[in-house]
Amino acid sequence: MSIIVCVEQRYGIGKNGKIPWNIPTDMKYFRKVTIGSGHNVVIMGRKTWESLSKRPLQGRINIILSKNSDLEDHLQSFDNVHHVRSKLDCLNMISAMVGVEDVFVIGGAEVFNEFDENCDKLF
Ligand SMILES: NC(=O)c1ccc[n+]([C@@H]2O[C@H](COP(=O)([O-])OP(=O)(O)OC[C@H]3O[C@@H](n4cnc5c(N)ncnc54)[C@H](OP(=O)(O)O)[C@@H]3O)[C@@H](O)[C@H]2O)c1
């Protein structure tokens, strides 16, 4: 399991619920790495999901962490998107998946802090 994060000079990663810069080459790199050969999982917190305008990242299995079960109805309309209510549920879900190659923790800050101990690679 890896962390992939984009940081500024003082290690800031976001502002007002968004990433306060737009670097197309970074986004291309993020896409290329996280899609890989097309059998990868991305894990994100509910606030990061909202920052993506509540649209899944294509070509990847998206897992969204939230204690709020209301999210479930909204997520059901998408393929390849799952809601989990805890880190343990998230890890169990991934263990039960067949054919997963790489798992990327894509943020935000709260989720990075929680999954840091499970990750052995940083992009
Ligand atoms: N620079 C980068 O690479 C990068 C990457 C991603 C995001 N970001 C930025 O980071 C900021 C968002 O980060 P954030 O720390 O505020 O929020 P976040 O980590 O995206 O989401 C936090 C939310 O995730 C849910 N959550 C977290 N841990 C959970 C657990 N163990 N069990 C159940 N639910 C859990 C909770 O949702 P509920 O409140 O619904 O329970 C929590 O409020 C934004 O500004 C975003 O743009 C930057």
Side-chain angles (χ1 to χ4, degrees), residues 5 7 10 21-22 27 32 37 41 43 51 53-55 57 61 72 78 82 95 101 123:
V5 60
V7 298
R10 289 166 299 165
W21 56 81
N22 178 21
M27 295 314 293
K32 185 171 173 237
S37 59
V41 170
I43 301 169
S51 82
S53 307
K54 303 182 185 176
R55 310 284 306 171
L57 297 179
I61 299 166
E72 199 95 20
F78 300 108
H82 304 278
S95 299
E101 225 152 71
F123 289 85

Side-chain angles (χ1 to χ4, degrees), residues 6 13 17-18 46 48 65-67 85 106 108-110 114:
C6 182
I13 67 157
K18 299 250 183 241
R46 189 258 308 161
T48 293
L65 280 151
S66 173
K67 294 193 173 67
R85 290 186 186 79
I106 67 160
E110 191 176 325
E114 281 179 80

